Amino acid sequence: MRQKYLMKGNEALAEAAIRAHCRHFFGYPITPQTEVAAYMAKRMPKIGGTYLQAESEVAAINMVLGAAAAGARAMTSSSSPGISLKTEGISYIAASDLPALIINVMRGGPGLGGIQPSQSDYWQATKAPGHGDAQLLVYAPSSVQEMVDLVIRAFETGEKYRMPAMLLADGMLGQMMEPVSFPDEIAPPQPKPWALTGTGEKRKPNIVNSLYLTPAQLEEIVRKRFERYEIVKQNEVLWDGYRLEDAEYMVVAYGATARICKAAVEIAREMGVKAGLFRPVTLWPYPEKQLADCAKRMSRILCVEMSMGQMVDDVRLAVNGCCPVSFYGRTGGIVPTPDEVAQQIAEMAAVGK
Amino acid sequence: MLQLNEQLNRPVVVITGHYGCGKTSFALSLAEYLTGMGKSPSLVDLDIVNPYFRSFDYRQQLKGCGIQMEGPVYAGMNLDIPALPAHIDGMIETADLQHPVILDVGGDDAGAAALGRYHPILQRQETAGRLTVLGIVSFLRPLTETPETAVQVLSAIQTAARLQCTGVVNATNLGSATDARVVLESVDKARQTAQMMALPVVSTVMLPDVWQQMSSEEKKQIPFPFVLSRRVMLPWEDGKL
């Protein structure tokens, strides 16, 4: 049996990255993700890695760009307002076809907002992580163990497709403690022949660039990138279902909210409502086909988020009118309770009858 | 309980330790335990580091049990400002055995820095034999897996707080996944940690179901068991876990 530890989500993110051979972390403190940076600050110097607290979020993300261009497995982490500052750099990283890991431990917004959990950066992560035509791989864990597993996967998948990945957590996941274990061995990164490692006068120089002043050339490059995105959509979708086999009413939720909804499904079942849970694990690529398939068997769908309703857009697009989709959300740092969500499920079922 | 009770014969009890070792759960239960002894304790949340899962969140529950709760001015108000109210000084000075004060300090040396402000007062308590400082350890936390690293963390806390620990509390746990084996395997490490610091292990903390799992032989191996109820819960837990 693997050794288990009791870890905070934020610490687990950092430890998982280290075990996944990440040796370059550039960050800037912000609640509720500060422990990621604090943990890296303690561990990186002991294992010959680089921990650097940059002068700002903008500097940190550009250090990630530089390290990634040089072939390093690099990462940064922040929380909502800090991620907004990083978006310029994220767009440059995506445009340079560089793999890197960006962690967002979401808090209430907009603006400085609050420091309690939220999921109101869904649109930002999946639709507009920066300017221009670009996507990020977006992973949404719902337990501390899954934070570990998805950090490893995010690095590997990002490098496979040469694109940045975001791990979208929230303050609840970042701060809560659960038992975790780590894989015994994680494969080291594959060689990166495109990296800027010096030619040694033995090959032509590699170039990492995001500036193309000829429209035709830029269009060609963006089109090629989108062809790659199509392959990602085919291969990299992850999702999870709970009690969907005989369900008539489906709740769709991700992250910490999915944990609450799982408890709510149990309560609703005790109330006699056949409820189930669909949990997207990748938010981009979104499990649209899988969601559409499940929706065919449902009377009604309820999307629950810690926001005013963002992922619900993607749920409606995937369901495409085959059954009614309603929304329930709390925002500003309020975490919905299982009873509150169960009540919503019961009301949805009452309307459906 | 002898060792712990001896430590509680002083009216000011400081609870420190590595981040996430179980300080808040222990502090909450200790306050209840003192109430059970017929005392009227106050619990001061001095955590200026972490705005989540803090003892101040439980003030209503505690108030119901007759425990007075104090915390940073803006605790629970979504404001990230480490301002501590002035009357905490008075609470420490006027504490007596009937009205003890428990100080729940933030994790690590960063959290213990908050004690620096109270240094003159706490030093007076120390000199007068009125001060207990408990170092909580948990060996299933990633940066304190061994007695050596646990001592390093506690030493850093002592330096930041400018206080010496008077006892070690073993709170090794895996949250709701804790079983008897987890606690039994930590006993030796706690003993070694305490030995290296020339301190006693004053109690071993565990949940009621873990205690019940143990055979009477195993129970004998546990130095000064302190069985507490789980208080720090996640929103989807129903309290039965």
Side-chain angles (χ1 to χ4, degrees):
Chain A
M1 207 176 79
R2 279 186 197 146
Q3 174 66 47
K4 279 205 163 144
Y5 300 96
L6 188 66
M7 288 183 93
K8 235 173 212 251
N10 284 339
E11 297 171 328
L13 289 170
E15 181 63 30
I18 287 169
R19 294 198 187 212
H21 311 283
C22 171
R23 291 292 177 273
H24 294 83
F25 178 90
F26 309 96
Y28 190 81
I30 179 169
T31 307
Q33 70 77 51
T34 299
E35 297 83 8
V36 181
Y39 194 92
M40 287 295 193
K42 285 204 170 109
R43 286 274 276 130
M44 278 297 196
K46 288 185 187 160
I47 52 171
T50 299
Y51 163 83
L52 203 149
Q53 180 173 322
E55 68 269 34
S56 73
E57 285 87 347
V58 179
I61 191 70
N62 283 294
M63 290 172 187
V64 170
L65 190 157
R73 203 167 252 196
M75 74 182 278
T76 186
S77 79
S78 192
S79 177
S80 308
I83 296 292
S84 290
L85 285 166
K86 288 182 197 288
T87 52
E88 180 196 48
I90 293 172
S91 175
Y92 279 50
I93 291 171
S96 307
D97 295 317
L98 293 173
L101 178 61
I102 301 127
I103 286 168
N104 182 2
V105 183
M106 290 183 281
R107 63 188 238 185
L112 268 180
I115 53 173
Q116 298 294 325
S118 161
Q119 296 180 314
S120 49
D121 303 347
Y122 179 92
W123 281 335
Q124 186 189 47
T126 61
K127 313 289 177 198
H131 59 279
D133 289 318
Q135 293 287 355
L136 295 178
L137 293 158
V138 183
Y139 294 94
S142 76
S143 67
V144 177
Q145 184 63 57
E146 206 175 30
M147 288 169 116
V148 168
D149 302 341
L150 290 179
V151 159
I152 300 163
R153 186 183 272 262
F155 274 125
E156 288 171 354
T157 313
E159 287 174 14
K160 185 171 166 194
Y161 297 99
R162 284 184 66 181
M163 62 186 291
M166 178 176 279
L167 195 133
L168 197 63
D170 62 66
M172 175 61 62
L173 288 166
Q175 294 292 330
M176 71 189 204
M177 296 179 77
E178 283 187 321
V180 283
S181 60
F182 297 88
D184 294 330
E185 220 164 292
I186 300 169
Q190 296 289 314
K192 294 167 180 161
W194 46 264
L196 310 185
T197 50
T199 61
E201 295 180 2
K202 283 182 187 116
R203 60 164 167 82
K204 277 193 185 166
N206 290 332
I207 295 168
V208 170
N209 175 39
S210 75
L211 177 68
Y212 299 93
L213 293 176
T214 317
Q217 194 191 3
L218 181 54
E219 187 187 49
E220 166 78 6
I221 281 170
V222 173
R223 276 188 191 282
K224 282 250 163 70
R225 195 171 294 126
F226 270 68
E227 282 167 21
R228 202 157 14 108
Y229 290 164
E230 282 308 311
I231 301 169
V232 175
K233 283 185 189 175
Q234 293 300 317
N235 298 340
E236 302 301 335
V237 165
L238 296 171
W239 68 285
D240 191 18
Y242 179 69
R243 301 199 76 170
L244 287 174
E245 299 73 24
D246 63 338
E248 292 166 14
Y249 300 93
M250 184 163 78
V251 181
V252 186
Y254 70 96
T257 308
R259 298 282 289 272
I260 291 155
C261 290
K262 202 168 172 182
V265 161
E266 287 302 322
I267 300 169
R269 291 231 168 208
E270 280 168 26
M271 294 158 79
V273 180
K274 280 191 176 170
L277 172 70
F278 185 98
R279 178 171 74 89
V281 176
T282 48
L283 301 181
W284 195 93
Y286 198 73
E288 39 192 296
K289 283 190 204 83
Q290 295 81 354
L291 182 57
D293 284 346
C294 291
K296 282 177 199 149
R297 308 195 303 268
M298 302 297 155
S299 304
R300 279 171 182 269
I301 291 174
L302 174 71
C303 179
V304 183
E305 298 174 54
M306 285 190 275
S307 77
M308 292 301 286
Q310 300 194 4
M311 181 178 76
V312 66
D313 291 357
D314 283 335
V315 175
R316 289 197 171 115
L317 281 171
V319 170
N320 201 17
C322 93
C323 70
V325 176
S326 53
F327 172 76
Y328 182 70
R330 297 298 303 265
T331 197
I334 304 276
V335 180
T337 65
D339 284 326
E340 197 176 333
V341 176
Q343 191 55 40
Q344 294 292 322
I345 300 171
E347 278 171 28
M348 160 173 71
V351 173
K353 285 213 168 102
Chain B
M1 298 307 276
L2 196 67
Q3 282 281 4
L4 182 62
N5 286 350
E6 218 172 273
Q7 299 271 331
L8 297 178
N9 271 335
R10 300 175 207 130
V12 181
V13 181
V14 174
I15 295 175
T16 63
H18 179 44
Y19 206 62
C21 65
K23 290 181 298 296
T24 294
S25 295
F26 181 67
L28 292 168
S29 296
L30 198 62
E32 265 187 311
Y33 177 66
L34 286 166
T35 311
M37 290 165 81
K39 301 183 180 196
S40 308
S42 302
L43 178 56
V44 180
D45 179 347
L46 277 190
D47 193 341
I48 55 161
V49 175
N50 184 2
Y52 281 77
F53 301 113
R54 56 189 311 158
S55 51
F56 201 72
D57 298 342
Y58 302 87
R59 60 192 176 281
Q60 290 305 335
Q61 240 173 307
L62 290 177
K63 211 175 160 189
C65 311
I67 299 162
Q68 196 197 335
M69 175 89 231
E70 284 298 334
V73 181
Y74 301 106
M77 282 175 61
N78 250 356
L79 204 58
D80 219 353
I81 296 172
L84 295 161
H87 61 266
I88 292 176
D89 301 43
M91 290 171 70
I92 297 171
E93 294 271 27
T94 58
D96 59 42
L97 283 180
Q98 194 51 38
H99 306 89
V101 172
I102 302 167
L103 304 176
D104 180 13
V105 183
D108 290 346
D109 44 337
L115 284 175
R117 171 185 153 169
Y118 300 101
H119 184 249
I121 304 171
L122 290 173
Q123 203 174 31
R124 276 202 294 280
Q125 312 305 315
E126 198 173 26
T127 315
R130 283 165 50 83
L131 182 71
T132 282
V133 182
L134 298 177
I136 321 292
V137 292
S138 171
F139 297 103
L140 289 169
R141 295 280 295 135
L143 300 179
T144 56
E145 288 171 65
T146 60
E148 288 75 19
T149 48
V151 169
Q152 273 169 24
V153 168
L154 286 180
S155 303
I157 289 170
Q158 292 188 138
T159 307
R162 288 179 277 166
L163 291 172
Q164 295 300 310
C165 288
T166 57
V168 171
V169 172
N170 178 15
T172 301
N173 76 96
L174 272 179
S176 53
T178 315
D179 55 19
R181 186 187 56 87
V182 161
V183 178
L184 286 163
E185 284 178 3
S186 69
V187 166
D188 252 351
K189 287 184 178 179
R191 196 173 287 133
Q192 285 170 41
T193 306
Q195 242 164 34
M196 283 154 83
M197 298 182 75
L199 292 171
V201 174
V202 301
S203 105
T204 308
V205 177
M206 75 197 89
L207 295 168
D209 57 325
V210 178
W211 180 242
Q212 279 154 23
Q213 268 178 33
M214 289 184 189
S215 66
S216 50
E217 259 324 292
E218 287 171 333
K219 283 180 181 172
K220 277 183 210 153
Q221 297 171 35
I222 305 290
F224 312 107
F226 183 78
V227 179
L228 53 71
S229 47
R230 189 151 170 250
R231 292 242 172 244
V232 182
M233 298 273 186
L234 296 170
W236 49 84
E237 291 177 338
D238 57 5
K240 286 177 214 140
L241 290 166

